[in-house]
Amino acid sequence: MTSSAHYQKLIAVLSFLFTASSALAGTIKGHVYDGVTKEQLIGANVVIKHELKKVVTSLDGGFSFKGLDNGTYELQISYVGYNAIDTTIIISGTETKEFDIYLFPEGVTLSEVTKSAARDGGSDQYAQKREQLANNIVNIVSSKTIAISPDITVANVMQRISGVSIERSSNGDGQHAIIRGMDKRYNTTLVNGIKIPSPDNRNRYVPLDIFPADLLDRIEVIKSLTPDLEGDATGGVMNLVMRSAPNHFIAEGNIGTGYSQLFLNRDFHSFNRSSVNSKSPAELVGPGAYAPVEAFPYNNLVTDASKPPINKNVNLTLGNRFLHNKLGVIIAGSYQNTYRGSNSQILQQSATVPPAPNDHTAQQPAVSDDFYRQYNSRIDRSGVEGKIDYALNKNNSISLSATHLQLNERRVRLTSDTLLGGYTLPNDFIGPYAIHNKTETRSDLQTINNITLQGSNLLFSNLTTDWSLTGALAKRQVPDIAEFSVGQKVTPNAGAGTYTLGTLQTEDESREWIHNTDKDLAGYLNFHYKTTIAARTALVGFGGMYRHKERDNFDNAYSLTPVNDKDSVYQKYVSIPESKFTFIPYNAALGNAAQNPGIYHAYENVWAAYGMLKYELSSRFEILGGLRVENTHQNYMSSLNDALPGKSADLNFIDFLPSVQGKYAISKTKDIRFSYFRSIFRPAFADLIPFPDKSGSNDTYLVEGNPYIKHTVIDNFDVRYELFPKGLDQFMIGAFYKLINNPIEYAFAPYSTTSGNYGATPILSPQNFGTANNFGVELVFRKYFGNFGVSGNYTFTNSVINATKLYVYLTPDNATKFTNVPDRRPLQGQSAHIANFSLLYKSAKNKTDAQLALVYTGERINTLSQYKGFDNWEKPTTNLDFSAQHQFGKHYIIYVKANNLLNTPFRLIIKQHNNAYHTKTQLPFQESTDYMTVQYDRYYASYSLGFRFKF
């Protein structure tokens, strides 16, 4: 027999033996869960006794043993801090035995299970269960998800939520949320279910970057309103739930650091804030007093250029229960010190645009200046949150919570302002007529303080009540916004395409003080009566609320004129300390407080009452419906000149807000929801009062109120399908539609109510735009595969506003014709496409987590123009972030976070044919002939490294 035949026989025998053994091989597989929260346990040990076989559960809590011989196997399932379980499994033939195991924490009795589950509000499982059991349509992010995400502020976390995009500040961090294409003004922020005032000097919406993310238990984005919720939220309600006392003693903390890549490429500019006066001269010496020039020291205008220190991030949480678990106490504190910035180029648009040559040609955008700016911000973000709760018995409890939030930004903005001329350089770019170099320094100090007393009581066997009393104070101080300017005249050399720079001259200096307070006092009272109707469970709810809001605003600006050198018509620039100023005219030393509409007192009283019924139509179908009535009384008095409109106003309106919510349970894991509710948007006081201001997030153009705008009323419709198959897996798909009456949006308007004149610089002003429609589709998914998981969401939104725009053209006889033409566009701030995708990795064996997160935001209108086709659009953005952490021992974790890995820029464009790209009259930083780029900002990546502990 040949050797080849021997090999063939051997292979045949081995194949037979392998096939025979495979035919008798079985599988044991399953999942391990927390018996209290029903959350999967990752890293639990599953051991086959008497054999050297052990596995740990993966990201979905799953485990498996494959290729097991027939027989009896004894398994032990254990997890640190939990009672172990032993079980016996018999394998015969090729069968697969699959089962779920529930482990209970050590020392937890069955009577404590419900209480423990209720207090575990920061877990992923709790967040998912709350989504599934809620009366309305809601998306929730747990503190556990926040901790392993790349984000350290609430604003940046918000961009991971379905249907939510964010607006960024000048340093690139998220600041405000846009929900379902509805601009930030249409959304409301709550803390522990209670509305809080905003420190913003113009708006109701709260800057979300004031919240450190590590103070939160979870974020709830409520997208449909029941009658017991306040009616002034159309896009959504952002309920920030702070941490509650745990079941046992905890001590958790974090120490981290980081750096911005931007400052590896350039220096960070800072200023000495010790000389900054918190009050303006008029406040210090009294109204009507002339301020001396010495009241405006130059020290805070002298900047220092150096590499910034590393970022710092620390937090600590302590909590426990006392008196046989009746008394719970928790206190948490956070401090973040970061250095941020950006490089920005802006083409300032002119207030007026040349007419088109005829009635069938588009007008071309006109720009006056080219700004190159460097932003440098030191940001100190801090927060303290404390809560005490006491359970008198199982039916009556009371709690007292307090929150302090503070966000201090000290910013230097360096601007090179080139006034564009009417000639072309040899490189085909438009030449300058003048160059101004400006240094602006400002301190922006914001705080929110809130204290809330809440209770829950059983009045009778079927009647319960819950109530809240709250007081809150929001403040913003922007003391001494100082700007110093040095200019050079430019003389074009006739016919040569070149120019000659003139002498550096000291120009006007400006100083401005802004501060405001917003105080809320509110009470909420709700009753719940459980009964039966037609032998089915019914829950009747009724109650009301009252809130008194007061706002005081102060604004005073000074303009200082340089003293001309002897025998000269200007002052030659030497240095900032050596520059000399005076007041021309002399009464400029009074500032502009005398008739400044930015100085005002306002109050708002809102009362509401509601009634609702939740009823089980069948074992699968429940419905909740009711009516809410809200009465609003607004009043303000400003310092505006009596001859101009908008000095004061007294407004009253009542809104009837019906709501219907329904849920049909297809099975235990599948639901269909539907919703209808009516909501409103109340204009903020600054939306009404015509005072010009440039202290907000858009500091390129003046913003001014409009005393003629009306409040907005919106009808909202929703439907959503939900699937929760197992563990943390989920799938949701839904649709929404909003009919918006009198939407309010900010648009360029060349006319100033304050001055009564047309100006060279356009003014942004709120305006009503008839009726709008907004509809869309939302998709949410999450799925785990062993150690890997994927999660994400996608939102398509399409909104329509039919408005009119100004179109100017020349007639055949060369006359200028002004016409209003129809304009069909989406809502301001609405992106047609928003998507999030995260790739997750978790190895219980290696105790390592990692997340790669991508966020896509489609194009959207940033600013509206009065001219047809001149709206400013944000280009689409794709942001990529990364985070990872590794646990060593039982109590310690090291982590890394990296943001904006793609160095995604912020770009504003005008969708008109661009005659300034690769032509004989080019403008800087242009990208295409299809559109004109009017702003281009770069933030660069940032990196964090830290250490976390938990006992």
Side-chain angles (χ1 to χ4, degrees):
M1 185 179 291
T2 65
S3 59
S4 176
H6 280 296
Y7 282 124
Q8 290 176 359
K9 275 191 173 186
L10 181 59
I11 290 172
V13 171
L14 292 174
S15 298
F16 172 77
L17 293 173
F18 177 78
T19 304
S21 64
S22 297
L24 298 176
T27 300
I28 297 175
K29 60 189 296 188
H31 292 80
V32 181
Y33 298 101
D34 184 309
V36 176
T37 67
K38 304 303 184 289
E39 183 176 359
Q40 68 264 33
L41 293 178
I42 303 167
N45 295 310
V46 185
V47 179
I48 298 179
K49 289 185 175 182
H50 313 301
E51 296 190 25
L52 297 176
K53 290 187 177 181
K54 171 185 172 182
V55 295
V56 293
T57 53
S58 58
L59 195 60
D60 61 353
F63 68 90
S64 66
F65 295 98
K66 296 180 180 179
L68 297 177
D69 296 336
N70 286 190
T72 300
Y73 294 88
E74 293 184 21
L75 272 66
Q76 183 180 72
I77 301 95
S78 62
Y79 191 73
V80 176
Y82 287 72
N83 295 311
I85 287 180
D86 293 336
T87 188
T88 301
I89 304 294
I90 299 175
I91 294 292
S92 61
T94 60
E95 67 179 333
T96 297
K97 290 291 182 72
E98 185 171 1
F99 57 96
D100 293 334
I101 295 291
Y102 292 88
L103 301 183
F104 286 86
E106 294 173 349
V108 175
T109 64
L110 291 177
S111 63
E112 293 176 303
V113 165
T114 302
K115 289 191 293 183
S116 296
R119 292 188 189 119
D120 194 17
S123 70
D124 291 334
Q125 185 67 25
Y126 180 88
Q128 180 167 291
K129 281 295 181 184
R130 191 171 177 88
E131 286 180 337
Q132 190 175 7
L133 299 176
N135 291 323
N136 42 17
I137 294 173
V138 62
N139 295 106
I140 302 177
V141 180
S142 70
S143 61
K144 182 175 290 186
T145 296
I146 293 171
I148 64 174
S149 77
D151 309 309
I152 64 172
T153 68
V154 166
N156 288 330
V157 173
M158 288 296 300
Q159 67 184 320
R160 318 285 176 192
I161 300 175
S162 170
V164 181
S165 60
I166 60 172
E167 284 188 354
R168 301 183 185 276
S169 66
S170 60
N171 59 55
D173 277 336
Q175 190 170 39
H176 302 115
I178 297 172
I179 304 176
R180 289 180 159 184
M182 303 298 296
D183 190 74
K184 51 191 177 290
R185 69 179 62 90
Y186 292 105
N187 306 313
T188 299
T189 303
L190 314 179
V191 171
N192 295 330
I194 303 296
K195 184 181 290 187
I196 58 173
S198 172
D200 191 282
N201 69 316
R202 299 200 63 91
N203 304 291
R204 294 181 183 273
Y205 49 79
V206 177
L208 296 176
D209 55 343
I210 199 173
F211 294 93
D214 45 32
L215 290 183
L216 270 61
D217 216 24
R218 62 186 180 274
I219 300 173
E220 301 175 344
V221 178
I222 303 167
K223 296 178 178 177
S224 65
L225 302 183
T226 50
D228 56 340
L229 293 174
E230 295 193 52
D232 58 344
T234 297
V237 177
M238 295 166 286
N239 185 26
L240 310 181
V241 182
M242 299 297 179
R243 303 188 66 171
S244 296
N247 297 322
H248 52 80
F249 173 76
I250 64 166
E252 302 174 4
N254 166 66
I255 301 173
T257 187
Y259 210 76
S260 172
Q261 185 178 322
L262 173 68
F263 301 118
L264 297 177
N265 304 323
R266 70 166 173 87
D267 285 338
F268 178 85
H269 293 263
S270 59
F271 68 98
N272 184 352
R273 63 181 187 273
S274 62
S275 64
V276 174
N277 290 318
S278 61
K279 295 183 178 181
S280 73
E283 294 175 277
L284 294 173
V285 300
Y290 289 82
V293 173
E294 294 74 22
F296 306 91
Y298 65 82
N299 307 67
N300 55 315
L301 280 165
V302 178
T303 63
D304 175 66
S306 61
K307 294 299 180 185
I310 59 174
N311 300 333
K312 292 167 281 292
N313 178 15
V314 295
N315 69 74
L316 178 66
T317 300
L318 300 172
N320 204 354
R321 301 201 72 83
F322 308 92
L323 303 178
H324 305 289
N325 287 335
K326 286 190 172 184
L327 176 66
V329 179
I330 190 168
I331 185 167
S334 177
Y335 173 70
Q336 299 171 5
N337 166 237
T338 58
Y339 295 84
R340 304 280 291 164
S342 65
N343 296 336
S344 175
Q345 279 195 274
I346 299 171
L347 292 178
Q348 180 169 280
Q349 298 158 68
S350 301
T352 56
V353 177
N358 49 58
D359 62 0
H360 54 273
T361 302
Q363 288 180 264
Q364 287 296 304
V367 298
S368 60
D369 294 74
D370 169 27
F371 295 153
Y372 176 75
R373 285 176 170 166
Q374 289 186 350
Y375 288 90
N376 310 262
S377 294
R378 170 182 167 157
I379 300 169
D380 294 282
R381 179 183 296 106
S382 59
V384 178
E385 183 259 340
K387 184 175 183 180
I388 301 173
D389 66 82
Y390 184 78
L392 288 82
N393 52 50
K394 66 178 182 179
N395 296 316
N396 297 276
S397 63
I398 192 169
S399 67
L400 178 67
S401 60
T403 304
H404 168 76
L405 302 164
Q406 186 157 350
L407 180 65
N408 295 341
E409 179 184 16
R410 292 176 172 88
R411 192 186 81 179
V412 173
R413 188 188 70 186
L414 305 177
T415 302
S416 175
D417 174 6
T418 300
L419 177 64
L420 298 173
Y423 65 100
T424 303
L425 301 175
N427 60 3
D428 294 334
F429 280 84
I430 296 176
Y433 265 152
I435 299 174
H436 309 275
N437 292 307
K438 302 178 181 182
T439 299
E440 184 208 72
T441 65
R442 68 164 69 185
S443 299
D444 195 338
L445 316 176
Q446 301 180 70
T447 60
I448 300 176
N449 293 295
N450 169 265
I451 185 168
T452 302
L453 180 68
Q454 294 178 306
S456 178
N457 305 98
L458 175 67
L459 301 179
F460 303 104
S461 58
N462 291 331
L463 180 63
T464 61
T465 182
D466 60 80
W467 51 269
S468 302
L469 296 173
T470 183
L473 172 65
K475 295 175 62 176
R476 185 185 186 208
Q477 293 179 290
V478 191
D480 197 3
I481 305 174
E483 185 173 68
F484 181 90
S485 180
V486 176
Q488 278 182 291
K489 292 184 178 180
V490 175
T491 304
N493 299 321
T498 59
Y499 59 86
T500 302
L501 288 173
T503 304
L504 284 173
Q505 302 177 19
T506 301
E507 299 181 317
D508 287 356
E509 179 181 317
S510 66
R511 311 293 276 261
E512 184 174 12
W513 279 259
I514 300 172
H515 56 78
N516 61 274
T517 59
D518 202 341
K519 294 178 284 189
D520 279 6
L521 293 174
Y524 301 78
L525 181 61
N526 305 294
F527 294 93
H528 314 280
Y529 180 70
K530 189 174 183 179
T531 185
T532 58
I533 300 176
R536 293 200 173 274
T537 302
L539 184 64
V540 178
F542 58 95
M545 59 80 63
Y546 175 78
R547 180 174 55 256
H548 174 71
K549 175 187 287 291
E550 285 196 42
R551 173 173 277 253
D552 287 285
N553 201 83
F554 178 84
D555 177 44
N556 192 18
Y558 297 83
S559 181
L560 289 81
T561 303
V563 177
N564 292 340
D565 293 337
K566 187 178 181 180
D567 301 326
S568 177
V569 294
Y570 62 85
Q571 180 184 142
K572 183 178 179 181
Y573 172 73
V574 178
S575 68
I576 291 179
E578 295 185 58
S579 298
K580 296 178 176 59
F581 293 93
T582 187
F583 290 105
I584 300 176
Y586 184 68
N587 62 5
L590 295 171
N592 67 346
Q595 295 185 348
N596 185 347
I599 300 177
Y600 66 85
H601 173 77
Y603 67 84
E604 177 184 86
N605 296 322
V606 176
W607 67 258
Y610 75 91
M612 66 182 188
L613 173 66
K614 182 179 180 181
Y615 185 64
E616 292 183 354
L617 295 173
S618 70
S619 60
R620 292 175 178 265
F621 190 20
E622 67 180 29
I623 192 166
L624 187 155
L627 177 68
R628 183 180 185 88
V629 180
E630 292 193 352
N631 175 265
T632 304
H633 177 207
Q634 294 177 317
N635 178 282
Y636 74 83
M637 174 65 73
S638 75
S639 300
L640 185 64
N641 188 313
D642 292 339
L644 296 174
K647 176 180 177 63
S648 64
D650 191 83
L651 307 173
N652 282 279
F653 48 90
I654 297 178
D655 293 282
F656 296 88
L657 308 173
S659 171
V660 178
Q661 315 281 329
K663 185 172 87 169
Y664 180 76
I666 302 172
S667 68
K668 290 184 178 181
T669 59
K670 301 175 184 177
D671 299 314
I672 291 180
R673 296 179 181 270
F674 65 87
S675 166
Y676 162 75
F677 66 96
R678 175 169 288 178
S679 59
I680 63 171
F681 167 67
R682 301 181 185 92
F685 295 118
D687 289 334
L688 298 165
I689 303 172
F691 74 92
D693 171 57
K694 199 188 284 188
S695 67
S697 57
N698 187 335
D699 58 1
T700 301
Y701 302 100
L702 285 171
V703 180
E704 184 175 283
N706 176 3
Y708 304 109
I709 58 171
K710 303 174 183 178
H711 83 291
T712 306
V713 179
I714 309 98
D715 289 300
N716 307 264
F717 302 84
D718 275 270
V719 62
R720 186 165 85 177
Y721 168 79
E722 302 173 341
L723 171 64
F724 302 92
K726 66 176 181 178
L728 291 178
D729 294 353
Q730 67 174 200
F731 176 82
M732 303 179 188
I733 186 168
F736 60 88
Y737 171 75
K738 300 177 184 293
L739 179 63
I740 309 165
N741 184 38
N742 284 324
I744 297 174
E745 302 192 304
Y746 272 75
F748 280 127
Y751 184 80
S752 170
T753 305
T754 305
S755 65
N757 298 317
Y758 285 84
T761 301
I763 292 171
L764 289 171
S765 176
Q767 302 171 30
N768 290 118
F769 284 90
T771 301
N773 298 275
N774 183 22
F775 61 90
V777 176
E778 290 183 338
L779 171 70
V780 180
F781 62 90
R782 182 167 57 209
K783 177 66 178 176
Y784 294 98
F785 309 91
N787 288 339
F788 290 92
V790 292
S791 68
N793 55 71
Y794 167 75
T795 304
F796 168 77
T797 311
N798 186 9
S799 59
V800 176
I801 286 184
N802 292 306
T804 60
K805 293 279 192 180
L806 181 63
Y807 174 59
V808 186
Y809 64 93
L810 295 177
T811 63
D813 58 356
N814 212 33
T816 301
K817 180 74 172 179
F818 293 82
T819 61
N820 289 313
V821 296
D823 183 59
R824 184 181 175 90
R825 60 168 177 81
L827 286 166
Q828 187 176 21
Q830 178 252 302
S831 296
H833 305 282
I834 299 173
N836 285 273
F837 180 80
S838 293
L839 179 63
L840 311 172
Y841 172 77
K842 186 177 187 73
S843 171
K845 182 178 180 180
N846 298 324
K847 298 182 179 180
T848 300
D849 297 80
Q851 178 177 358
L852 187 65
L854 182 143
V855 179
Y856 173 82
T857 304
E859 66 175 13
R860 61 190 182 191
I861 295 177
N862 177 281
T863 310
L864 296 169
S865 172
Q866 73 268 29
Y867 289 98
K868 181 175 176 59
F870 285 7
D871 293 339
N872 289 191
W873 289 75
E874 295 179 25
K875 290 280 285 180
T877 58
T878 301
N879 290 83
L880 185 66
D881 306 311
F882 174 78
S883 62
Q885 65 179 38
H886 176 73
Q887 181 177 344
F888 56 98
K890 295 181 180 180
H891 306 290
Y892 308 105
I893 292 174
I894 57 172
Y895 65 85
V896 294
K897 299 176 186 283
N899 299 93
N900 195 21
L901 291 173
L902 301 180
N903 188 23
T904 302
F906 171 85
R907 293 177 291 173
L908 283 183
I909 66 168
I910 297 175
K911 292 184 176 182
Q912 289 279 29
H913 179 79
N914 189 0
N915 290 335
Y917 178 73
H918 282 185
T919 63
K920 293 294 183 181
T921 53
Q922 294 186 54
L923 288 171
F925 64 92
Q926 297 307 297
E927 305 170 281
S928 172
T929 57
D930 297 329
Y931 56 84
M932 174 181 284
T933 304
V934 293
Q935 185 168 343
Y936 195 107
D937 298 351
R938 285 194 177 276
Y939 310 112
Y940 299 91
S942 59
Y943 309 95
S944 301
L945 172 69
F947 165 78
R948 192 180 297 127
F949 61 88
K950 181 176 182 179
F951 292 93

